[in-house]
Amino acid sequence: MSDQKEPKVIIVGSGPAGYTAGIYLGRANIPNLLFEGEQPGGQLTITTEVENYPAFPDGIDGPELMMKFRAQAERFGTEIKGETVTSIDMSSRPFKVTTNAGEYSVPSVIIASGSTARWLGLPGEEDFFGKGLSACATCDGFFFRDQEIAVVGGGDTALEEAIYLTNFATKVTLVHRRDELRGSKIMQDRALAHPKIEMAWNSTIDKYVPDENGNLVAVTLLDTVNGEKRDLAVSGCFIAIGHTPNTQFLGGQLTMDENGYLITNADRTSTNVEGIFACGDVQDHFYRQAITSAGTGCMAAMESERWLGENGL
Ligand code: NDP
């Protein structure tokens, strides 16, 4: 390894949880190495304005907030590498962490690998990536200026994306499979009152309709109550139906729930393997907020620090 001090802790992931763990470890004088993964900065880098992160009364852009997290971790000595962890061998100690670029030995690991946006899983869905289908309004909204768009989902992400997309689109249809939204009351009120947003209740997407060049021109909606189908002409469709925890690289060595979220000990971030801690969205399917992720990142760092100390490491 190129760094002078061997890391005592490897942090997997660069969202609010991972960087907060780095900040706390750095300030505790514990050498730590953070792997950014495939989406440096995590999910907040593909979100619009963050209005609910405390201490930013006027809101802050997601990417800017993550740059601040990163800078603060670097200030206290976190070494940051743009590598992705592909496996961790927990069968012997120190643990062996393998990335797409190398292999590292370390006594303690903090898993902060977050979760990834889900797709509908319709046949040929990937064919529409870059041709009208997206899971990131911030990244792609601009391409749909003065056009009609559909957003799928009924949670806060879908509501937020729908509202954001009204900045570009002439009309946004929010396609939701039930007759009741899941998102928070304030976001529901904003979306339902918005003159450019129309609801397609009790509806799912049956298929994407391409033009002769493969570009999306419509989605076929299926009414979940009466089974009727109808085409909705849109040139953009944004999928916002939740996330899958990024735990595949762990190969089932840590205890997970039925959806793949890591299970930690009660009121702790410790896992079933001593010395391995988990924080942020990869172990939290309930709150899933930047502030709660940062909070559990702090917990993981403190627990890791104490565990290293107790074990003379
Ligand atoms: P959620 O799990 O809250 O919502 C997912 C939505 O997608 C639900 O409405 C669900 O329908 C629908 N859905 C799931 N699978 C399918 C499918 N196969 N076909 C059609 N629809 C489907 O995820 P979000 O990403 O919206 O939010 C995750 C968390 O992050 C929440 O806690 C949310 O509050 C938070 N968040 C907060 C924000 C903020 O405060 N600014 C912004 C964004 C997210 P159904 O309701 O029927 O289950």
Side-chain angles (χ1 to χ4, degrees):
M1 250 168 280
S2 60
D3 50 330
Q4 287 146 348
K5 283 187 191 168
E6 287 289 303
K8 293 277 185 206
V9 184
I10 278 179
I11 301 166
V12 185
S14 55
Y19 281 135
T20 303
I23 293 165
Y24 273 77
L25 288 169
R27 294 193 78 254
N29 222 8
I30 295 182
N32 62 99
L33 167 62
L34 181 149
F35 292 118
E36 286 182 308
E38 279 170 13
Q39 190 175 24
Q43 290 185 59
L44 281 186
T45 56
I46 55 163
T47 195
T48 43
E49 202 179 359
V50 180
E51 290 185 326
N52 52 10
Y53 199 86
F56 293 96
D58 301 322
I60 180 167
D61 280 346
E64 193 188 341
L65 179 61
M66 290 322 300
M67 289 310 291
K68 287 181 184 289
F69 269 98
R70 190 183 206 277
Q72 198 168 352
E74 277 186 312
R75 179 182 160 203
F76 297 112
T78 296
E79 186 187 1
I80 299 167
K81 289 195 176 187
E83 296 172 25
T84 299
V85 174
T86 52
S87 68
I88 303 177
D89 182 352
M90 304 177 191
S91 63
S92 57
R93 289 165 194 272
F95 303 118
K96 199 191 295 166
V97 176
T98 305
T99 73
N100 56 334
E103 216 172 76
Y104 304 81
S105 285
V106 73
S108 178
V109 178
I110 292 178
I111 314 281
S113 48
S115 58
T116 302
R118 268 193 222 136
W119 296 95
L120 291 178
L122 293 174
E125 193 162 45
E126 316 78 60
D127 298 344
F128 291 90
F129 293 170
K131 295 197 160 197
L133 188 61
S134 171
C136 176
T138 331
C139 320
D140 300 326
F142 186 79
F143 299 119
F144 301 97
R145 193 171 284 275
D146 298 328
Q147 298 173 38
E148 298 197 3
I149 295 178
V151 174
V152 183
D156 279 326
T157 304
L159 296 170
E160 198 178 75
E161 303 246 302
I163 293 165
Y164 175 72
L165 287 166
T166 60
N167 290 320
F168 310 99
T170 48
K171 184 177 130 191
V172 176
T173 303
L174 190 55
V175 179
H176 183 41
R177 62 184 177 183
R178 295 187 293 139
D179 61 358
E180 195 187 347
L181 293 164
R182 178 181 294 277
S184 57
K185 179 80 170 65
I186 183 169
M187 296 296 284
Q188 287 196 30
D189 290 349
R190 273 192 216 168
L192 294 174
H194 200 291
K196 280 190 184 177
I197 297 179
E198 216 165 80
M199 289 303 306
W201 296 109
N202 299 314
S203 298
T204 57
I205 292 192
D206 187 56
K207 66 175 163 60
Y208 304 111
V209 182
D211 65 9
E212 64 277 10
N213 299 317
N215 292 312
L216 187 75
V217 285
V219 289
T220 304
L221 298 183
L222 171 70
D223 189 310
T224 55
V225 177
N226 60 23
E228 280 174 15
K229 291 183 186 176
R230 70 178 170 102
D231 277 1
L232 175 73
V234 289
S235 50
C237 181
F238 288 77
I239 308 298
I241 60 166
H243 297 82
T244 303
N246 298 322
T247 46
Q248 300 81 348
F249 68 99
L250 295 168
Q253 296 169 99
L254 297 178
T255 310
M256 299 172 194
D257 70 12
E258 65 279 8
N259 296 315
Y261 285 91
L262 296 182
I263 296 177
T264 50
N265 295 316
D267 302 325
R268 294 283 183 271
T269 62
S270 50
T271 66
N272 58 304
V273 176
E274 269 200 36
I276 307 248
F277 303 86
C279 53
D281 285 11
V282 75
Q283 59 86 242
D284 168 30
H285 56 85
F286 185 73
Y287 298 106
R288 292 184 288 196
Q289 301 298 299
I291 184 67
T292 47
S293 285
T296 55
C298 158
M299 289 164 65
M302 292 178 73
E303 286 175 61
S304 173
E305 176 201 345
R306 282 178 199 170
W307 181 83
L308 288 166
E310 282 162 14
N311 289 279
L313 295 163

